[in-house]
Amino acid sequence: MPPRSDEPRRDATGSRRGSSRGTEPREPGVGGISDARAYTPRGRTIREGGGAARTGGGTEQRRTPRSSRSGDPFRPALQVLDGGRTGATRAGRRETAAGGRAGVVRTVSTRPVREPFDDDEAPAPRRRPGPRRPARPAAARRPVRKPRRPPKLADPRRRLRLGTLLVLALFTSIGIRLVFLQTVSTPAYADGGLANRLAVVELPAPRGAIYDRTGAPLAHSVEARYVFADPTQVKDPVATARVLSPLLGVPASELAGKMKPRKLPGGGWSQFEYLARGVDIDRAKQIVAADLAGIGVHRDERREVPGGDLAANLIGFVSQDMNGLEGLEAKYDEVLEGRAGRKRYEVGQGDLAAPIPGGYSQTTPAQPGSSLELTIDRDLQFKTQRILSDGMARTRGSVGAAVVIEVGTGDVLAQASFPTYNAADPTKVNSPADREDAATSFIVDPGSIHKAITYGAALQEGVITPDTAFPVANSIQKGDTTFRDTHPANGRKMSIPGMLAFSSNVGTIEIADKLGPDRLIDYQKRFGLGQPTGEGMPGEAGGRLLPADQWSDSSYGSVPIGHSVDATPLQMAAAYAAIANDGTYVQPHLIKEVIGPDGKRTPGPAPKTRSVLSPQNAAALRRMLEAVTTVDDPQDGRATGLAAAVPGYRVAGKTGTGLRYDNGKLQPGEVGSFIGMAPAEKPRYVVAVFVWSPGGEGGAVAAPAFREMMGFTLRHYRVPPSATDRSPKFEVFPH
């Protein structure tokens, strides 16, 4: 396309286009500069090659194409100057310049002229100049299409909002997770990090002690050390064993065997073997100073029993790990056992393995076990054991038991067994049965000592009175069994004190016939037979009573005199204590107080009590029982319990000869026993002695042993002597 001329545009006459204010006449429909806005895309331009421009009266006129808008620098200004004129149209034709230039003929549409600010209709877009296309017939001309709207671009604000929301959601999730980690999961992550740099030290808690009623220790714990070996680190087991043997008191061969490498069942080699437990601290220091490879020492606890065998059958013993195994140690293990503490603190690594100042540190203090204060009197226990052991030395393969009870309180002041053992070394016994407490596990037919229960029931039920007397034959038949007296009355009238003094079987059976089996069994239960006393010893036997519906014809003769009845020495001692306590049964017990780690004292459980006899009948029965230790008539005979009399004191009691059953089997020999109370006028203490011997020597041991035990008890507690001149005088065979 040829460039547009730089000359100013001229009108049809060849004059230069100027202001619309000129006075030259114009063709109708041709406007001035302001009419430039009325140009439509339908206008046409032609290039005239030296001739005049064609004009016509059609709707469109030809115009020359423009090469560039930038080629007419005056057009914008002219449009501004002429833009206010309305209603005028302009048509003009430029003639060819004198220099042979072709003129430009501009035609405009006859459409009304729009004002510059008329927004009712948007101006039609201009069409680009191009070669003229042949005219189409009017009928075939395609309708003008409305230009397509340009595609609507995406709104950037929507994308911005979406991106902002995603970023906010991301940061919110991160923030919530951080808060969760810093608050909820902090302990878990902190502990996970501390585990690798924490040291743990065990704070041992000593086991509680066992004291007697005066506060003297019967068993207590002391600090000690245990010696161990790591067989994988021991270089020379034999040489190491030779060094340790004199320090530990263990044969070198035994130590060397423990230090030999040993493969564990699950794989690997053992790295820990005990060599000794409870080693004295001084000896442990010597072992540490020896600096033996693979040998270590650590804190331990040792149970000490100052009295050795003193009350050992009561106290029991513990394992090397301080767990109660027998006796009171086992029964009250949860009370005595301490709860170990622990100290966890942060330490450095390598050469700096020391507590970090200001670092993590947590201490769980150890809680020592509580202690037990027993009702046992250490001095009385020692003397009782010594007397029993001396008496049992005259028998072989025998079993003995002795119990001392304080009347009114039920406190067991002494409870001795034979055989006994050293609680500090419980393995050195002939049989595990030697460690049993005979007073609570020794089941016997009580024999004649049961007669006091029969006479007490008869008094309480009014079957007899203290003045009752009736003829007594030498024997009586019950079923297929004949029961005889060892001191025959030969049919003479005998008093109740006389029947007790000579332990008449026939007289007792005749009284029981009037009483009846049901009432007799009821009083047996009231006196505590047939069930454990609940004294506090583990494994206490309850004995056995024969129900009335199981009585045979012979049972009417055996039960009243203490056969076909199973009882323990403690049960029978508690029954006599009820007679001594004006007819009120008080449960025997061993625990006086529980002493907490802080020293607070808690009394033991209150003993159970119940009324068995009236005070008057109990006093009458005590008076009649004095005949057993006082009747000594050359003509009438000697009472069975004279050997139990205590000089200076009135004593009421009863001898007995019974049988022993072990696992339901009758054992050979007899059980000799004596139970008594003193002073008889107002009893303070009850002492029971039982001795079983295969040779039947128990009767010769029980009464003398009682005399010594009761005499020492009365003197030990400074009980004033009785007025013996006021002792009752009994008539065995009244006229």
Side-chain angles (χ1 to χ4, degrees):
M1 179 182 296
R4 179 177 296 179
S5 174
D6 294 333
E7 292 181 1
R9 294 183 179 180
R10 299 177 185 271
D11 56 14
T13 61
S15 62
R16 185 175 297 179
R17 300 173 65 178
S19 171
S20 61
R21 296 178 184 178
T23 58
E24 296 181 1
R26 300 181 180 180
E27 296 180 350
V30 179
I33 297 175
S34 63
D35 294 335
R37 290 177 56 89
Y39 294 166
T40 66
R42 297 181 182 274
R44 300 286 188 270
T45 61
I46 59 173
R47 186 181 301 272
E48 297 178 355
R54 291 183 302 172
T55 60
T59 59
E60 292 183 356
Q61 296 181 354
R62 297 176 181 177
R63 59 181 178 180
T64 59
R66 293 173 299 176
S67 62
S68 173
R69 291 187 181 185
S70 62
D72 190 1
F74 299 102
R75 184 172 181 176
L78 293 177
Q79 290 178 345
V80 171
L81 292 175
D82 204 23
R85 189 175 299 172
T86 62
T89 59
R90 181 175 58 184
R93 183 180 297 172
R94 293 184 183 181
E95 300 293 336
T96 305
R101 254 184 189 176
V104 178
V105 178
R106 185 181 298 273
T107 62
V108 296
S109 174
T110 59
R111 294 179 182 178
V113 179
R114 295 176 58 89
E115 292 297 329
F117 301 99
D118 189 359
D119 295 333
D120 293 340
E121 183 178 357
R126 291 184 181 183
R127 299 183 63 181
R128 293 183 179 181
R132 186 186 180 101
R133 291 182 295 180
R136 294 181 180 179
R141 183 174 296 177
R142 300 172 68 177
V144 179
R145 291 182 178 180
K146 191 174 182 179
R148 294 182 178 179
R149 297 179 62 181
K152 189 175 182 180
L153 299 177
D155 189 355
R157 291 175 296 177
R158 181 178 299 175
R159 292 196 298 266
L160 183 60
R161 293 192 191 101
L162 181 60
T164 303
L165 290 176
L166 292 176
V167 172
L168 289 177
L170 177 62
F171 279 98
T172 301
S173 301
I174 295 174
I176 293 174
R177 181 59 177 168
L178 288 175
V179 172
F180 181 82
L181 293 176
Q182 290 292 329
T183 57
V184 180
S185 300
T186 297
Y189 284 96
D191 290 345
L194 284 174
N196 296 328
R197 60 180 187 274
L198 284 183
V200 180
V201 176
E202 198 79 13
L203 303 178
R207 185 179 179 86
I210 299 178
Y211 302 104
D212 81 331
R213 66 187 299 113
T214 65
L218 299 175
H220 64 103
S221 296
V222 296
E223 184 179 350
R225 298 289 185 269
Y226 68 78
V227 181
F228 66 94
D230 181 354
T232 63
Q233 301 295 326
V234 177
K235 297 179 179 179
D236 189 346
V238 176
T240 304
R242 290 174 181 172
V243 176
L244 293 176
S245 180
L247 296 175
L248 299 179
V250 180
S253 58
E254 181 179 344
L255 294 175
K258 293 181 178 180
M259 288 185 283
K260 290 181 179 179
R262 181 174 63 88
K263 197 167 186 178
L264 299 175
W269 297 91
S270 173
Q271 297 180 347
F272 183 90
E273 294 290 340
Y274 278 116
L275 298 181
R277 299 291 302 270
V279 179
D280 292 338
I281 296 178
D282 292 339
R283 291 182 179 271
K285 290 181 178 179
Q286 297 179 29
I287 295 173
V288 172
D291 194 18
L292 301 172
I295 304 300
V297 175
H298 201 273
R299 185 168 181 173
D300 197 11
E301 183 178 353
R302 184 177 70 247
R303 197 68 166 170
E304 283 195 351
V305 184
D309 64 349
L310 183 67
N313 301 74
L314 287 178
I315 296 171
F317 60 93
V318 299
S319 67
Q320 292 183 339
D321 295 323
M322 295 293 116
N323 296 320
L325 298 181
E326 286 188 10
L328 297 176
E329 293 275 22
K331 178 68 177 290
Y332 296 94
D333 185 59
E334 293 184 358
V335 176
L336 296 167
E337 183 182 19
R339 291 176 175 81
R342 178 177 294 182
K343 182 177 181 181
R344 304 173 65 197
Y345 57 92
E346 196 172 1
V347 298
Q349 299 294 327
D351 296 336
L352 300 178
I356 298 177
Y360 174 84
S361 179
Q362 183 183 27
T363 301
T364 302
Q367 297 182 4
S370 299
S371 299
L372 297 178
E373 184 172 289
L374 306 183
T375 58
I376 296 295
D377 186 319
R378 183 181 62 171
D379 295 337
L380 182 59
Q381 177 73 26
F382 173 80
K383 189 65 175 180
T384 302
Q385 283 189 214
R386 178 63 60 85
I387 295 171
L388 181 64
S389 297
D390 292 344
M392 301 297 291
R394 290 173 284 178
T395 63
R396 293 181 180 181
S398 56
V399 177
V403 179
V404 180
I405 297 178
E406 184 178 43
V407 175
T409 64
D411 290 353
V412 178
L413 303 178
Q415 188 164 308
S417 299
F418 183 90
T420 187
Y421 70 102
N422 184 356
D425 191 2
T427 59
K428 292 183 178 180
V429 291
N430 296 326
S431 169
D434 294 348
R435 297 194 297 258
E436 294 179 357
D437 174 55
T440 56
S441 63
F442 189 37
I443 301 295
V444 298
D445 269 358
S448 294
I449 57 176
H450 180 273
K451 293 175 181 176
I453 295 176
T454 303
Y455 284 95
L459 283 171
Q460 188 69 20
E461 294 297 321
V463 174
I464 61 173
T465 66
D467 299 328
T468 298
F470 57 86
V472 176
N474 293 338
S475 64
I476 189 171
Q477 186 75 23
K478 291 294 181 181
D480 57 355
T481 304
T482 301
F483 297 90
R484 295 182 173 84
D485 283 345
T486 56
H487 292 75
N490 297 320
R492 290 181 293 175
K493 184 186 293 186
M494 182 178 283
S495 65
I496 300 298
M499 296 179 190
L500 288 170
F502 295 113
S503 192
S504 173
N505 293 330
V506 177
T508 304
I509 292 172
E510 290 182 0
I511 293 175
D513 286 341
K514 298 177 182 178
L515 182 64
D518 292 329
R519 288 192 290 183
L520 178 58
I521 293 173
D522 179 50
Y523 277 91
Q524 286 177 327
K525 294 179 179 178
R526 291 188 189 185
F527 275 106
L529 304 187
Q531 59 185 350
T533 64
E535 176 199 35
M537 287 297 295
E540 180 185 1
R544 183 181 66 88
L545 297 177
L546 188 64
D549 57 358
Q550 296 182 17
W551 281 28
S552 63
D553 292 339
S554 62
S555 298
Y556 286 87
S558 62
V559 173
I561 61 176
H563 297 288
S564 300
V565 178
D566 292 342
T568 65
L570 180 64
Q571 287 175 325
M572 295 308 302
Y576 273 72
I579 299 172
N581 192 36
D582 289 335
T584 300
Y585 177 89
V586 179
Q587 178 188 18
H589 54 277
L590 283 169
I591 308 302
K592 182 179 180 182
E593 291 180 332
V594 177
I595 306 174
D598 56 354
K600 182 180 179 180
R601 293 176 175 266
T602 303
K608 298 177 181 179
T609 62
R610 57 179 174 270
S611 177
V612 182
L613 303 175
S614 67
Q616 296 79 10
N617 288 325
L621 183 57
R622 290 197 303 270
R623 183 176 181 277
M624 292 188 294
L625 287 172
E626 284 190 72
V628 177
T629 61
T630 58
V631 173
D632 186 6
D633 191 308
Q635 183 178 356
D636 296 334
R638 295 169 58 88
T640 59
L642 292 179
V646 179
Y649 295 91
R650 294 171 56 182
V651 176
K654 184 70 182 74
T655 57
T657 302
L659 303 173
R660 182 192 179 191
Y661 290 88
D662 188 8
N663 294 325
K665 296 181 179 180
L666 179 64
Q667 301 298 308
E670 293 178 343
V671 178
S673 59
F674 189 93
I675 305 179
M677 60 199 75
E681 65 274 18
K682 188 173 180 59
R684 294 275 305 273
Y685 307 101
V686 169
V687 175
V689 181
F690 285 72
V691 177
W692 169 78
S693 172
E697 303 93 350
V701 175
F706 167 87
R707 181 181 65 245
E708 293 187 53
M709 293 177 190
M710 179 61 81
F712 179 84
T713 301
L714 295 172
R715 293 189 299 271
H716 178 67
Y717 291 108
R718 300 180 180 180
V719 177
S722 300
T724 54
D725 57 345
R726 297 182 182 179
S727 297
K729 304 297 182 182
F730 298 102
E731 190 174 5
V732 177
F733 300 104
H735 298 288

